[in-house]
Amino acid sequence: MPGAPTNPPARRRYTLRGIVQGVGFRPHVARTAGRFAVSGCCGNDDESVFIEVTGAPDEIDRMIAAVCAEAPALANILSVECEHLEPEADPPAHFRIVPSRRAPGVPTLIPPDAAPCADCLAEMADPTNRRYRYPFITCTNCGPRLSIIRDVPYDRPLTTLAAFPMCPACQAEYSDPTNRRYHAQPISCYDCGPHLWLQRPTPPPPQGDVLGEWWDGIVGARGLLRAGAILAVKGIGGFTLFADARNAAAVERLRRRKRRPHKPFAVMAPDLATARRFARLSREQERLLAGTERPIVLAPMAPGYDLAAAVAPGLGDVGVMLPSAPLHFLLLEPGDVMVATSANISAEPLIYRNEDAEADLAGIVDALLTHDRPIHVPVEDSVLMADGAAASPIRRSRGYAPLPVPLPPRARRGGSVLAVGGELKNTFAMTRGDMAFLSAHIGDMGSLACQRAFERSVEQMRTMHRQPIDLLVADLHPSYATSAWAERYAEVNGIPLLRVQHHHAHALSLLAEHGATGRRAAIAVFDGTGFGLDGTVWGGEILTLPPDPRTFRRAWHLPPFLLPGGDSAIHHPWKVALSVLATFAPTADAVPHLSAEASPNEIALVKSQLASGVATVATTSAGRLFDAAASLLGVRQHVTYEAQAAMELERLARECPHQTCAKTQFQNLPTLIKATAAAAKGDPPAIVGPAGAAPNPTARACAARRFHAGLAGIAMRALIQVAAESDAEVLGLTGGVFQNRLFTADCLAHLASVDKPVLVHRLVPANDGGLSLGQALAGHLAADAADADLNCPNQASEPPDKSTF
């Protein structure tokens, strides 16, 4: 020991639970203990690391604090328990690592996949190292985890590396407690690991057209990208499509082949210095980009932005990421910027198997840079946005899944709740004890392929957690594929099914991530579509929830209007604009440019639907109001991806140079719509001039900015009033509309004077990607399986119909 303790020695046992397996935690504890005047041992079992330590109490405190504060990069400590033990008559002289203990029936928490660490990158760049340019380099601090696990416990024979027995050199590293590859299950090298090659999109070797192996394959892939080719590159969690982001022809060709006309592409830069040339990055955005999770981060385009216009058409932000796999580091040359988008057919799930890539990508890519390390669990890139020092997830996947979210303590039955999530941006969640485990991003459930991917992912998570499902939770919507799946699964397996209203689940998700259950809450839930208790489409709601949040009250909502043609209006914002005008500004003159967006017969049909109510559905959707404003202001009349019109409207609003526009307030929604319509038809400030005249871009931006500020003011005044009337202890903002950063900032500015906490999403998405967490909380709070009533018992009956006109 470094020195003798000055106080009477104490002996304690600490139990640390969380992601503490397979991340180098025991060697970390032993190294840390060596810096303090303590002795003892550490070991682990399937769910925890235990530390028995003897020394002066203050020395033990400092040692444990250092263990937690300096934990390995992939560790995630969820709890620390301390037990005071009787001092030993003959305490140990040193600190040591003891063998692992098994805890039968207790599954290990699985760490997420992680980007290469600095040590591995340094070895990969060292010509004298045996892993020089090795594309599968890894250690206990980095590399694949979730994506390679077939079963638990997390040991190499139960991963996709089982087919690659370790060579003597790797085995020696794996068995050495002082080595950073100690018990690193995915380690390998050129002598014993997977194989890399470049091939045409044809059957695999030896039948396929192999263009190069190892470094020759990487050099060949670089040459193809420089020549404008499109490549599929197999990363940690699946294939990614690469194309030169500065080559306009290559990017346009990728859009045509992928059938993705407008939705923005993410781009990958080799380092932060390159990313700064085309994106304005804050410190927080740079921190996120360089983290082990390697998410896509949305950032404003820099003045020197030089990427092809088709990378992010109509937008002012670009999605940036840094390499997430060793192969990416080897592939990208200094200064390169590559489009890096998920390899899939439009609306289909991520492709991650070699045979599927060869079959499905043959018409999209010119070559595959691939390997024979199988991926068991496909994992998409995560997507984050950051303003100032705060980050919010848009898609929670690689690097974050399957990290658990704590739930309130509850004495429940022994099984798990399976919450199946929503229809768009689907994730599902499974509970174990007082934790909820969210899946990686699945996607939109409209295709059979996505539904099969969902089923496969559910089975994979069930295998990992080894607990029976005794309650299913699904959305109230009668036509969701996930709800239909839950109904079938419940009937076949005799499991109760709980239905939770969409916006209630959003509110519960927000409470769950902040640990705010047990407090009275008033929460604004703004999104595009959610099936309401009255059979209409909700989407602009303020809900109040009691300390037991299994019930809610619909305290306020935006005034309703009709969606002509139902879902058709979602794809054609001009239809929503006509409805909003008819509802809130019926005496306003027609907006000239709307007549040019459809044939006279189409316009007549929509007006007839609105007049008769035939083929329409009533909605309070805030998302559709943004669509209507985008249409009125000539921003977007037809959309090809979700939230396109709203995103382009936000971009336009950011071009407004006037602070007065950001402070504009309107008494209610009709006055806001009338003002927007007046601006759109050429009343001061003019936006659309005489026939043939060019629109005034500054005036359009000002009108868009006033719309954001005006709607925020209407909604937040209502939220403040509802919070006061309900004696709410916390307020909150959730739903996909709150991923509009400008609108959210306006809302938070209104709430700044409220002397209560205001909750926004930081762990899970505000959009439907976070819905499953709220559903899981609803199921977790059910006292027993008898609470699961198909008639949706956890919503307040006869909700008030209170709105602001």
Side-chain angles (χ1 to χ4, degrees):
M1 296 190 298
T6 57
N7 299 321
R11 180 174 171 235
R12 301 177 193 166
R13 177 186 175 92
Y14 290 87
T15 302
L16 283 64
R17 291 186 171 85
I19 307 292
V20 291
Q21 315 295 336
V23 295
F25 209 98
R26 288 179 297 164
H28 160 67
V29 172
R31 288 193 298 270
T32 304
R35 293 157 37 196
F36 297 89
V38 298
S39 63
C41 65
C42 69
N44 65 4
D45 58 28
D46 294 275
E47 68 166 354
S48 66
V49 164
F50 56 86
I51 304 169
E52 291 188 6
V53 58
T54 297
D58 57 347
E59 195 77 353
I60 294 176
D61 290 341
R62 287 193 291 270
M63 177 252 184
I64 294 298
V67 165
C68 296
E70 303 164 17
L74 299 189
N76 186 349
I77 301 171
L78 297 178
S79 66
V80 180
E81 299 174 4
C82 176
E83 178 185 359
H84 293 267
L85 306 176
E86 287 294 324
E88 295 176 290
D90 185 18
H94 305 285
F95 197 95
R96 63 194 178 95
I97 297 174
V98 299
S100 299
R101 304 173 184 173
R102 307 307 301 180
V106 179
T108 300
L109 296 186
I110 305 301
D113 301 313
C117 66
D119 289 333
C120 283
L121 290 177
E123 290 176 349
M124 193 170 68
D126 181 1
T128 66
N129 191 280
R130 73 189 190 94
R131 292 187 176 93
Y132 177 53
R133 292 176 173 172
Y134 183 59
F136 308 106
I137 195 167
T138 184
C139 69
T140 54
N141 297 321
C142 67
R145 295 294 192 275
L146 171 64
S147 58
I148 62 170
I149 295 173
R150 297 184 188 276
D151 204 347
V152 291
Y154 173 46
D155 290 322
R156 190 180 182 97
L158 297 178
T159 72
T160 61
L161 271 294
F164 303 94
M166 283 182 275
C167 66
C170 286
Q171 184 66 55
E173 294 172 324
Y174 180 88
S175 304
D176 180 0
T178 66
N179 194 288
R180 79 172 198 283
R181 293 190 169 91
Y182 177 60
H183 281 202
Q185 307 302 337
I187 70 166
S188 63
C189 67
Y190 284 107
D191 293 332
C192 63
H195 192 78
L196 176 79
W197 68 89
L198 177 69
Q199 68 169 82
R200 298 289 184 191
T202 54
Q207 294 85 9
D209 185 3
V210 177
L211 303 176
E213 299 176 90
W214 295 113
W215 182 247
D216 288 342
I218 293 170
V219 171
R222 287 176 169 182
L224 288 172
L225 288 169
R226 282 195 300 270
I230 299 168
L231 266 64
V233 180
K234 189 176 182 182
I236 289 180
F239 281 87
T240 301
L241 302 183
F242 276 67
D244 184 348
R246 295 189 179 97
N247 186 325
V251 179
E252 291 284 4
R253 185 162 55 252
L254 176 57
R255 287 205 173 277
R256 289 194 302 272
R257 293 181 180 180
K258 201 171 189 281
R259 289 178 286 174
R260 183 168 164 166
H262 302 112
K263 190 175 182 179
F265 287 137
V267 298
M268 182 183 290
D271 48 50
L272 284 172
T274 302
R276 292 187 193 108
R277 296 173 194 166
F278 62 87
R280 287 191 288 116
L281 300 173
S282 67
R283 289 185 180 178
E284 175 65 7
Q285 288 167 330
E286 292 191 358
R287 184 191 69 80
L288 293 170
L289 283 169
T292 60
E293 301 87 356
R294 285 298 195 274
I296 298 168
V297 176
L298 299 186
M301 296 174 182
Y305 184 84
D306 63 348
L307 307 185
V311 167
L315 303 177
D317 291 340
V318 60
V320 189
M321 65 189 304
L322 298 184
S324 59
L327 180 56
H328 298 155
F329 281 95
L330 295 170
L331 179 62
L332 268 66
E333 299 182 82
D336 278 350
V337 184
M338 297 291 164
V339 166
T341 187
S342 300
N344 62 341
I345 309 301
S346 182
E348 297 285 306
L350 177 67
I351 292 171
Y352 65 100
R353 296 186 179 112
N354 287 359
E355 58 270 27
D356 293 335
E358 290 151 4
D360 297 341
L361 298 179
I364 297 177
V365 304
D366 302 298
L368 304 170
L369 185 60
T370 188
H371 55 78
D372 57 357
R373 183 179 71 196
I375 295 169
H376 187 64
V377 179
V379 187
E380 289 261 24
D381 300 315
S382 292
V383 184
L384 276 71
M385 59 183 183
D387 275 332
S392 300
I394 295 175
R395 184 167 74 198
R396 183 182 187 268
S397 203
R398 193 194 61 247
Y400 302 94
L403 295 177
V405 178
L407 298 175
R410 182 78 173 180
R412 289 194 75 255
R413 53 205 177 275
S416 293
V417 174
L418 173 61
V420 299
E423 194 76 353
L424 302 179
K425 299 178 173 64
N426 177 266
T427 65
F428 63 89
M430 185 176 292
T431 67
R432 196 179 92 209
D434 294 328
M435 293 184 288
F437 296 82
L438 272 68
S439 72
H441 173 80
I442 305 294
D444 297 349
M445 299 296 291
S447 72
L448 180 60
C450 280
Q451 293 167 27
R452 288 173 174 168
F454 170 88
E455 285 189 321
R456 186 168 56 246
S457 297
V458 167
E459 278 307 303
Q460 289 168 344
M461 187 175 285
R462 285 186 66 248
T463 297
M464 289 181 188
H465 290 284
R466 296 191 183 283
Q467 282 195 304
I469 297 168
D470 64 0
L471 178 60
L472 285 158
V473 187
D475 194 272
L476 192 61
H477 199 294
S479 300
Y480 275 8
T482 48
S483 299
W485 182 89
E487 288 177 357
R488 294 192 301 270
Y489 193 96
E491 183 176 358
V492 169
N493 294 280
I495 300 172
L497 172 61
L498 177 66
R499 307 296 286 263
V500 179
Q501 197 278 328
H502 189 89
H503 300 92
H504 188 197
H506 271 303
L508 290 173
S509 174
L510 185 64
L511 294 177
E513 82 160 64
H514 286 277
T517 54
R519 307 171 76 181
R520 293 183 300 277
I523 299 178
V525 191
F526 280 24
D527 62 0
T529 300
F531 190 77
L533 297 181
D534 56 3
T536 66
V537 176
W538 292 4
E541 320 301 313
I542 294 177
L543 309 182
T544 58
L545 293 88
D548 181 351
R550 287 179 292 172
T551 63
F552 74 89
R553 175 175 174 265
R554 190 190 189 198
W556 180 94
H557 59 77
L558 289 168
F561 53 96
L562 296 178
L563 286 181
D567 286 349
S568 171
I570 296 173
H571 302 290
H572 304 288
W574 66 268
K575 295 184 178 183
V576 185
L578 289 178
S579 174
V580 166
L581 287 177
T583 304
F584 304 118
T587 61
D589 295 334
V591 177
H593 64 268
L594 291 185
S595 300
E597 295 305 323
S599 70
N601 288 340
E602 287 180 297
I603 293 175
L605 174 61
V606 169
K607 290 182 175 180
S608 172
Q609 290 173 327
L610 294 173
S612 65
V614 174
T616 64
V617 60
T619 185
T620 56
S621 169
R624 300 290 79 81
L625 287 179
F626 278 92
D627 289 350
S631 172
L632 290 172
L633 298 179
V635 174
R636 172 64 54 181
Q637 308 301 340
H638 309 278
V639 301
T640 61
Y641 64 90
E642 187 189 13
Q644 180 181 8
M647 290 166 64
E648 293 179 359
L649 182 71
E650 181 186 5
R651 186 268 308 163
L652 178 63
R654 288 183 180 276
E655 296 176 3
C656 170
H658 306 122
Q659 286 298 317
T660 53
C661 293
K663 299 181 184 302
T664 305
Q665 295 299 299
F666 295 86
Q667 180 181 359
N668 50 37
L669 187 60
T671 59
L672 173 59
I673 296 301
K674 289 173 184 176
T676 306
K681 68 181 177 59
D683 291 349
I687 290 182
V688 178
N696 181 333
T698 301
R700 292 174 69 240
C702 290
R705 186 67 189 91
R706 288 194 299 273
F707 178 83
H708 280 75
L711 186 58
I714 293 167
M716 292 305 102
R717 289 196 302 270
L719 179 59
I720 292 170
Q721 180 180 347
V722 167
E725 292 173 351
S726 62
D727 196 22
E729 299 170 87
V730 296
L731 287 72
L733 308 176
T734 185
V737 167
F738 289 109
Q739 292 188 322
N740 180 320
R741 288 171 292 164
L742 189 61
F743 179 69
T744 301
D746 286 345
C747 290
L748 292 174
H750 281 278
L751 299 176
S753 60
V754 177
D755 189 24
K756 290 182 174 68
V758 178
L759 310 181
V760 295
H761 284 280
R762 300 299 181 211
L763 291 179
V764 302
N767 62 34
D768 285 5
L771 203 67
S772 62
L773 175 60
Q775 294 175 345
L777 176 60
H780 178 73
L781 292 176
D784 53 47
D787 275 1
D789 188 323
L790 292 179
N791 293 319
C792 194
N794 60 331
Q795 279 81 46
S797 60
E798 298 181 3
D801 187 21
K802 186 176 180 181
S803 62
T804 297
F805 285 87

